[in-house]
Amino acid sequence: MSSKYSEKNTINGAAVALEDYGTISAGSSSTEKVTLIADDELVTSDEELGLQLKNIQGYDPTLDKGNYFRDGKRKIDFVLVYEEILEKKKQKSSTSTESGEPQKKTQQEKHEMWRQKFMVNLKKAGLDMEEEVVQGDKKMIFYIKLSAPWEVLCFYAEDLSLRAPLQAHPNPSNNWSEGCLRTVHMPNCMAEEVPNQPLDYYTCQFRKSKLDRFLGSDNRATYFSSTQRSGIVHEILSAAVYGKRKRAEVGIHRLLEEEVYQAAFPLHDGPYQKPKHFVPPDCLNPRQILFSYWARWGKWFKYQPMDHIREYFGEKIGIYFAWLGFYTAWLLPASIVGVLVFVFGIITMNSNTPAIEVCSSGGDFQMCPRCSEKAGCTYWNLSDVCIYTKISYLFDHPGTVFYAVFVSFWAVSFLEYWKRKNASLAHHWDCLNFEEEEERPRPQYTSLCPTYEKNPITGVKEPHFPQRDRLPRILSGAAAIVLMIVLVLIFIVAVIMYRVLISVPLFQNKTFRPRAAMIASMSSAVVNLILIMVLGRVYEKLAYKLTQWEMHRTQTEFEDQLTFKVFIFQFVNFYSSIFYIGFFKGRFVGYPGNYSRFFGLRNEDCSAGGCLVELAQQLAVIMIGKQIINNAQEVLVPKFKAWLHQRKLGANKNVEKARWEEDYELIENEGLFQEYLEMVLQFGFITIFVAAFPLAPLFALLNNWIEIRLDAQKFVTETRRPVAERAQDIGVWFSILDALAQLAVISNAFLIAFTSEFLPRLLYKYQYNFDLKGYTNFSLAYSPNGTMTHECRYRAFRDRDGEYTLFFWHLIAIRLAFVIIFEHVVFGICRLIDIMVPDVPESLEIKIKREQYLAKQALADTDTIMMLAKGDEDDDQEDGMRLRVPTQKV
């Protein structure tokens, strides 16, 4: 494609008077400027509050002119892109010249009208604009570059409650693993010096009237970061009207849905590849630093540069990667213990008395057919499944009971220590009370609300959507969830029937008979996985539309409701088949001569190895299969989408392109929802069902090592730069994780009590034989007389008449007692962990108080302070304290 930049299509934004945007006139200035200090010269006294920020880093963003207007002075904060096909444009012009009569507007003409009105409103908002046109063989691509002038930035910075730096202090870059290795005098291969470490500040809310109190206020070109600038412009774009407000024709997101614009995005800070010639590390741009020190596969064992990630992508993405790294690190001890438990099973497998009895039984135990004799199923010997009985011991031995208790404590401890880590990060990144104090209504919400009401907290009138109008919409969304869950359950029943039907011909075949149960279980698990993935994608799109329709006030509320809807569905979608095998399969089979039936088919029983080994198979297929599919999608899908997009554009790699052209060729960033959902579902797999599959944390750890680098590469190299969003935590995902951790205790208690052979063997030990000799024969019942052609055995604690034995009722009592004791002990210790581990570290509380004091000093009104000082002068002298009054005029 040949590039042709149009000089005549420049759109200049209107200059806006300073007093229209700031809280004071342009005349207020001060000579009290302050200088930024090095780390070893940290300010410690209040007299040194006035500091002027200097660029002590090697990289100067103003030198990269690819991200500026043609004048080289105005920075490009956002780019809007739309395309026009040349043939349609010619047809449009010929039609308008041939017919003089007014015709109904075509879609293209309507889009052009919307664009023009949208541009006018952006211009009224004070944005500067510049247009570039790239003409190809079949289409013309229009790039509208947007820039926010200083006055607009200051107005919206105050309106959006952005944070402004008051005082520099050392960056708290310590972590526990580094401290542990230092204590034992071991080298830390995970640590790496990353250039241009972002500085750390005491901050407060931005005020234009106090501008000269903030660090770096003398340099307008670099005072606002690129993420802050693009966030401000995105706020304007989201609230700008392009049609009729009553029809909800508001905002850039609706224009993208209507395909009026093909894309809207902030620019990356230059290329991610290093230059071919040598460049000092501290002169690399932020994107090159992230790629070189984070996104490369060779950095898989290094610490993530969290401050760099947050500075480039914003707090929301930064907190996601911080949580993912923290979770992955905590998976390491769980994986090690899980492997040790599995190895213990391998070591003790040959000393398992019941397995030895099964393998040496020969033809002693003739088992009843697995399906009806009329269907052709034959009798079989228990020794035929010798190998599967041994394998089942790997997932069902005393070590798995210990591991279930361990993982319950691990999950609670992980969540408690994440709360501490999250609080430290939120304070370090200035978003500790963001949701309560600073979060504004969503632009889409404000544009569509029918009324205005006073905010009870701020006292300011703001758009309001009545609760009585929202309630029917929420109920409609709940009904949709119920319908989709019913659909999932129908598919689960279909999979169960498939497993029963496929088992019949497999048991009839002598070759497949020993492996019939495993083949039926594995194949049905694969079918179930495919249905899960398809239904999940369909429902996610439906849930997004429903949540938009419900009109939630803030972005946090919107995302929490969307997350809740999708997770409830996905929980049933992913876990229903596993819950069925773990808690229901084999419970309602009946006995020979009195089998229970469902739709004319005999209810399926557990395999010869027991239901726990089937549960492990199902869990392995769904969990590992899902991870493989997701990782393959994250590798292949972005590349395929990028190739398809570049092919449609007719991109020529040999032609040098502008920054906005290169970014447009990248694919759209789809956010973090899928990333969180994948990890939270994984957390459920490794906690709720860990008693059946102790290797689950190991596979999760291996997956997450890959996941971090895949996500890093995707964000840095393959997708357009997302708009930086603020967040103080991982949102409702934490509540979901906490609920899964609580559910895991209950689930594992019932798995050990009712699905595992642990308690039946334990009771047999103490009632009959401590070495478990004769347990195999004891656990097999005889078919009632006259019910089968030949006398046969089946797994149950029943007598020859099919009635439960006394041992069975003793076992039921022990199982219920075990569940109660297990839950109370584990929940009690978990509660103790919760009490002993404070959510906010003590050192952080001191930092918060220090910052609040500095904020008051910097933003306090002079007259108020003078009155307080005069009224309390005597008290101050008695206490040996003096209130410092700023000399600066406001």
Side-chain angles (χ1 to χ4, degrees), residues 299-536:
K299 303 296 180 180
W300 67 270
F301 60 96
K302 298 292 184 182
Y303 294 133
Q304 297 186 90
M306 296 312 310
D307 288 326
H308 292 77
I309 298 170
R310 174 254 182 170
E311 187 179 57
Y312 193 76
F313 291 113
E315 289 81 6
K316 189 172 183 179
I317 292 176
I319 285 178
Y320 163 73
F321 280 105
W323 176 82
L324 181 57
F326 189 82
Y327 170 50
T328 303
W330 270 73
L331 280 173
L332 186 59
S335 303
I336 293 173
V337 177
V339 170
L340 292 177
V341 168
F342 191 75
V343 170
F344 172 79
I346 295 175
I347 294 172
T348 59
M349 181 171 61
N350 292 326
S351 61
N352 178 28
T353 303
I356 294 173
E357 290 181 346
V358 169
C359 294
S360 61
S361 63
D364 294 343
F365 302 115
Q366 181 176 259
M367 305 298 292
C368 297
R370 302 300 299 268
C371 60
S372 174
E373 289 184 87
K374 296 178 181 179
C377 290
T378 60
Y379 297 87
W380 54 285
N381 292 320
L382 186 61
S383 58
D384 293 344
V385 293
C386 167
I387 185 65
Y388 302 107
T389 305
K390 289 184 175 181
I391 292 174
S392 68
Y393 178 76
L394 298 177
F395 304 99
D396 189 4
H397 58 83
T400 57
V401 179
F402 158 77
Y403 193 53
V405 177
F406 170 82
V407 169
S408 298
F409 295 153
W410 171 87
V412 173
S413 301
F414 159 67
L415 294 176
E416 287 302 316
Y417 278 94
W418 166 248
K419 283 194 284 188
R420 289 169 61 89
K421 176 70 173 178
N422 188 89
S424 299
L425 274 177
H427 172 262
H428 176 41
W429 291 346
D430 297 319
C431 52
L432 192 59
N433 297 313
F434 166 68
E435 293 177 9
E436 295 179 3
E437 299 177 2
E438 302 172 28
E439 190 168 19
R440 290 161 50 84
R442 297 168 60 237
Q444 296 90 333
Y445 174 87
T446 59
S447 303
L448 302 177
C449 283
T451 61
Y452 279 78
E453 284 194 9
K454 184 181 291 187
N455 188 312
I457 298 174
T458 63
V460 177
K461 277 196 171 185
E462 63 179 36
H464 176 74
F465 192 82
Q467 186 65 28
R468 64 177 182 276
D469 294 338
R470 181 183 289 115
L471 185 60
R473 301 187 179 196
I474 293 176
L475 293 176
S476 300
I481 294 176
V482 172
L483 287 175
M484 290 298 293
I485 288 175
V486 170
L487 183 62
V488 169
L489 296 178
I490 291 172
F491 276 111
I492 293 298
V493 173
V495 170
I496 294 170
M497 295 180 69
Y498 160 81
R499 189 159 49 224
V500 172
L501 291 172
I502 201 69
S503 298
V504 174
L506 290 173
F507 277 111
Q508 291 173 346
N509 189 296
K510 290 183 179 181
T511 305
F512 293 109
R513 188 177 302 152
R515 294 175 290 275
M518 187 188 71
I519 294 172
S521 178
M522 293 290 284
S523 62
S524 63
V526 172
V527 171
N528 189 35
L529 176 63
I530 295 171
L531 292 174
I532 284 171
M533 301 299 286
V534 173
L535 284 173

Side-chain angles (χ1 to χ4, degrees), residues 147-420:
S147 178
W150 172 255
E151 295 82 5
V152 175
L153 292 172
C154 288
F155 172 75
Y156 277 95
E158 187 166 341
D159 191 45
L160 297 173
S161 300
L162 297 187
R163 308 294 292 185
L166 289 170
Q167 181 186 29
H169 63 88
N171 198 318
S173 58
N174 60 318
N175 62 70
W176 64 271
S177 60
E178 190 172 4
C180 292
L181 293 173
R182 192 185 302 114
T183 303
V184 297
H185 303 288
M186 288 183 63
N188 188 2
C189 64
M190 298 178 287
E192 184 177 25
E193 190 70 26
V194 182
N196 297 347
Q197 178 69 23
L199 297 169
D200 197 36
Y201 306 100
Y202 290 121
T203 65
C204 66
Q205 289 187 7
F206 179 86
R207 291 289 183 270
K208 179 67 182 293
S209 59
K210 311 292 182 181
L211 184 61
D212 50 3
R213 301 287 185 91
F214 301 129
L215 301 182
S217 57
D218 63 321
N219 190 346
R220 294 186 174 187
T222 60
Y223 179 74
F224 291 105
S225 66
S226 58
T227 54
Q228 289 175 326
R229 296 177 66 103
S230 61
I232 288 171
V233 175
H234 180 259
E235 182 75 16
I236 297 172
L237 291 171
S238 299
V241 180
Y242 65 87
K244 293 183 178 180
R245 191 179 293 272
K246 291 182 179 179
R247 296 180 181 175
E249 294 173 343
V250 179
I252 186 62
H253 299 285
R254 181 73 186 275
L255 287 171
L256 291 171
E257 290 177 4
E258 298 285 348
E259 296 185 351
V260 178
Y261 289 100
Q262 271 62 50
F265 52 89
L267 294 178
H268 278 292
D269 288 347
Y272 67 87
Q273 304 97 334
K274 284 185 177 180
K276 294 181 179 179
H277 60 276
F278 173 75
V279 175
D282 60 348
C283 292
L284 297 174
N285 69 46
R287 192 182 182 197
Q288 290 169 336
I289 290 175
L290 285 175
F291 178 75
S292 302
Y293 293 89
W294 178 49
R296 289 174 50 233
W297 286 105
K299 303 296 180 180
W300 67 270
F301 60 96
K302 298 292 184 182
Y303 294 133
Q304 297 186 90
M306 296 312 310
D307 288 326
H308 292 77
I309 298 170
R310 174 254 182 170
E311 187 179 57
Y312 193 76
F313 291 113
E315 289 81 6
K316 189 172 183 179
I317 292 176
I319 285 178
Y320 163 73
F321 280 105
W323 176 82
L324 181 57
F326 189 82
Y327 170 50
T328 303
W330 270 73
L331 280 173
L332 186 59
S335 303
I336 293 173
V337 177
V339 170
L340 292 177
V341 168
F342 191 75
V343 170
F344 172 79
I346 295 175
I347 294 172
T348 59
M349 181 171 61
N350 292 326
S351 61
N352 178 28
T353 303
I356 294 173
E357 290 181 346
V358 169
C359 294
S360 61
S361 63
D364 294 343
F365 302 115
Q366 181 176 259
M367 305 298 292
C368 297
R370 302 300 299 268
C371 60
S372 174
E373 289 184 87
K374 296 178 181 179
C377 290
T378 60
Y379 297 87
W380 54 285
N381 292 320
L382 186 61
S383 58
D384 293 344
V385 293
C386 167
I387 185 65
Y388 302 107
T389 305
K390 289 184 175 181
I391 292 174
S392 68
Y393 178 76
L394 298 177
F395 304 99
D396 189 4
H397 58 83
T400 57
V401 179
F402 158 77
Y403 193 53
V405 177
F406 170 82
V407 169
S408 298
F409 295 153
W410 171 87
V412 173
S413 301
F414 159 67
L415 294 176
E416 287 302 316
Y417 278 94
W418 166 248
K419 283 194 284 188
R420 289 169 61 89

Side-chain angles (χ1 to χ4, degrees), residues 442 467 470-471 473-475 477-478 481 539-540 542-569 673 730-733 736:
R442 297 168 60 237
Q467 186 65 28
R470 181 183 289 115
L471 185 60
R473 301 187 179 196
I474 293 176
L475 293 176
I481 294 176
Y539 179 74
E540 284 167 17
L542 174 63
Y544 184 80
K545 294 292 185 182
L546 288 171
T547 311
Q548 277 187 321
W549 185 52
E550 288 172 5
M551 290 290 290
H552 295 284
R553 179 179 173 272
T554 65
Q555 186 66 22
T556 300
E557 292 174 0
F558 174 84
E559 291 179 358
D560 287 353
Q561 289 296 322
L562 175 63
T563 300
F564 179 75
K565 284 187 183 67
V566 174
F567 182 77
I568 289 294
F569 172 79
F673 184 82
I730 62 174
V732 75
W733 292 114
I736 293 173

Side-chain angles (χ1 to χ4, degrees), residues 833-848:
I833 294 172
D834 189 6
I835 295 171
M836 292 177 62
V837 181
D839 294 348
V840 180
E842 184 179 354
S843 58
L844 179 58
E845 291 182 355
I846 297 173
K847 288 182 181 179
I848 293 172

